DNA sequence: GGAATAGTGTCTCTAAGACAATATGGA
DNA sequence: TCCATATTGTCTTAGAGACACTATTCC
């Protein structure tokens, strides 16, 4: 029917979260060849009978690794080529998920993104592309808010931006801008005494529309 | 070996250009089933022996429809599902190309994007996603410059932005911003008498790095 | 010279950056 | 009370928007 062989097709999910002030990626140790014993991104095949599209498949993979609530999820891009998988010509559809740490089960393998090297297949590259995407988004969207637990203080959110972009925003400009564009909304309960020292801070959460874009820096 | 059937995998290219002041998409009439006789995006299978990745395949498709010089080319996203192709579960990797009109051969089918409806497969959706991507890019990058012939005047470029985004930029702010960020560079030869009326304008072209991003509107 | 378009100057206003001043909760 | 952090206020400055004014080309 078709003149050309169909490549191997998979989905892979880059699950990013914030732990100990640094961006981490969730990895799993492969239990099968190829690359058995090596760290890799969670992923798998499309289940053509049950997945209505590739995003469904990626959501299924994600759900097996983290609670799928409060999650920012998007397509990253495809990676393809004859050599990335020793079994033959392959294509993977990579997805990016931003998850607060507490949604990730105990015992999951979280690796600082800077240390995510030597992974199976071309997963080093995929992680790199995901981190790059998140970095870019952090200058024109509230994406870093998806990495932390809700509700959060503006200080928490500022720290998330700092961890992603490498520079801490000016507190005054940050507050002004974030609140002006409505990128976060006040949570019902107001804070009081979280970390036990200093004045308590007001609590916020992402609005129902989730991560928002706006066109300026702070 | 694999428990799950491999979906049909294709690449499709959304080739956008600017003609008569409006954004157009290049379409072809399908000569085979499914959808024989219907307009569709140019596309095809991956040639696993010659294409080093999906982008190679998309470039090959593009080269068969337009001269592949001075072209802005990027991955758009994947589209997938069991029903988009009557032959079975399928995935397409969609690419976006921005091409100046004169690089497109005579006789090609250019359709205003607003009229690109009733296309084969789910190509309506793909065109929509491509146009949306370009619209977004036009507020923080020089992408519309890739739609017009080089060298161009700032008036030409302003018209390209207007055609994509729907609003004409303020001439003064536009000039200031575009030149300040170096999004275009002066072409060697200075203009003089193109359209035969009014003062001649200076000519510019995209810098070697191609389309640039910058983080403000004008 | 006049029409038409290109390019410059400048004023206003918004918003970012910096930082001082004040408020509030916990020890 | 003091300390630490949160929040507000204000001054400065860069840059966008608007628009008037000058420059250059073709007729």
């Amino acid at each position: 029917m078709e003149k050309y062989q169909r490549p191997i097709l998979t989905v892979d999910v880059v699950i990013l979260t914030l732990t100990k002030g640094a961006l981490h990626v969730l990895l799993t140790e492969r239990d099968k060849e190829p690359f058995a014993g090596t760290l890799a991104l969670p992923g798998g095949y499309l289940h053509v009978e049950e997945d209505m599209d590739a995003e469904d498949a990626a959501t299924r993979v994600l759900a097996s690794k983290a609670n799928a609530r409060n999650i920012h999820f998007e397509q990253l891009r495809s990676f393809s080529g004859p050599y990335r998988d020793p079994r033959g010509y392959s294509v993977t559809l990579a997805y990016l998920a931003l998850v607060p740490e507490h949604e990730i089960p105990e015992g999951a393998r979280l690796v600082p993104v800077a240390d995510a090297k030597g992974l199976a297949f071309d997963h080093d590259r995929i992680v790199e592309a995901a981190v790059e995407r998140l970095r870019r988004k952090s200058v024109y969207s509230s994406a870093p808010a998806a990495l932390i637990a809700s509700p959060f203080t503006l200080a928490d959110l500022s720290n998330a931006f700092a961890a992603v972009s490498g520079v801490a925003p000016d507190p005054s400009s940050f507050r002004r801008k974030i609140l002006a564009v409505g990128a976060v909304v006040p949570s019902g309960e107001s804070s009081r005494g979280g970390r036990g020292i200093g004045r308590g801070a007001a609590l916020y959460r992402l609005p129902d529309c989730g991560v928002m874009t706006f066109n300026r820096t702070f």
Side-chain angles (χ1 to χ4, degrees), chain A:
Chain A
M1 171 151 185
E2 288 154 35
K3 185 172 155 196
Y4 299 95
Q5 177 205 335
R6 294 185 186 180
I8 299 166
L9 181 71
T10 54
V11 298
D12 286 304
V13 186
V14 184
I15 301 175
L16 297 179
T17 192
L18 214 47
T19 315
K20 318 206 183 302
L23 205 55
H24 285 61
V25 58
L26 189 153
L27 299 175
T28 59
E29 195 177 306
R30 283 185 61 82
D31 56 0
K32 285 187 267 206
E33 291 296 342
F35 297 105
T38 309
L39 287 178
L41 292 169
Y45 295 108
L46 260 76
H47 296 188
V48 295
E49 309 85 6
E50 59 182 297
D51 298 326
M52 287 309 290
D53 55 22
E55 181 160 328
D56 259 18
T59 304
R60 189 167 40 69
V61 168
L62 172 63
S64 70
K65 303 295 173 191
N67 297 323
R69 260 172 313 186
N70 299 329
I71 279 183
H72 176 85
F73 190 62
E74 62 179 69
Q75 261 194 47
L76 184 54
R77 42 162 292 202
S78 67
F79 294 84
S80 51
Y83 307 127
R84 51 182 302 281
D85 185 325
R87 291 168 294 185
Y89 207 108
S90 66
V91 173
T92 192
L93 307 178
Y95 284 78
L96 170 61
L98 306 181
V99 181
E101 185 186 5
H102 74 278
E103 299 282 1
I104 296 179
E106 281 298 318
R109 192 77 157 258
L110 293 178
V111 176
V113 292
D115 302 341
K117 304 289 174 203
L119 309 184
F121 306 104
D122 55 353
H123 289 187
D124 287 17
R125 245 179 104 200
I126 300 179
V127 171
E128 207 176 318
V131 171
E132 174 66 16
R133 167 80 61 97
L134 174 58
R135 291 229 161 93
R136 285 181 183 280
K137 286 212 157 194
S138 79
V139 308
Y140 64 86
S141 85
S142 54
L147 296 166
I148 58 178
S150 275
F152 43 77
T153 68
L154 288 183
D156 293 335
L157 184 57
S158 177
N159 288 339
F161 273 89
V164 171
S165 71
V167 301
D170 173 79
S172 174
S173 304
F174 183 74
R175 171 182 303 271
R176 242 188 337 219
K177 184 60 183 298
I178 286 289
L179 296 179
V181 300
V184 299
V185 298
S187 159
E189 354 119 62
S190 193
S191 72
R192 298 308 111 88
R195 296 198 249 343
I197 197 166
R199 171 178 175 180
L203 293 173
Y204 298 87
R205 58 176 179 75
L206 282 174
D208 292 335
C209 63
V211 167
M212 275 183 52
T213 69
F214 36 87
N215 45 15
R216 257 154 228 288
T217 64
F218 357 87

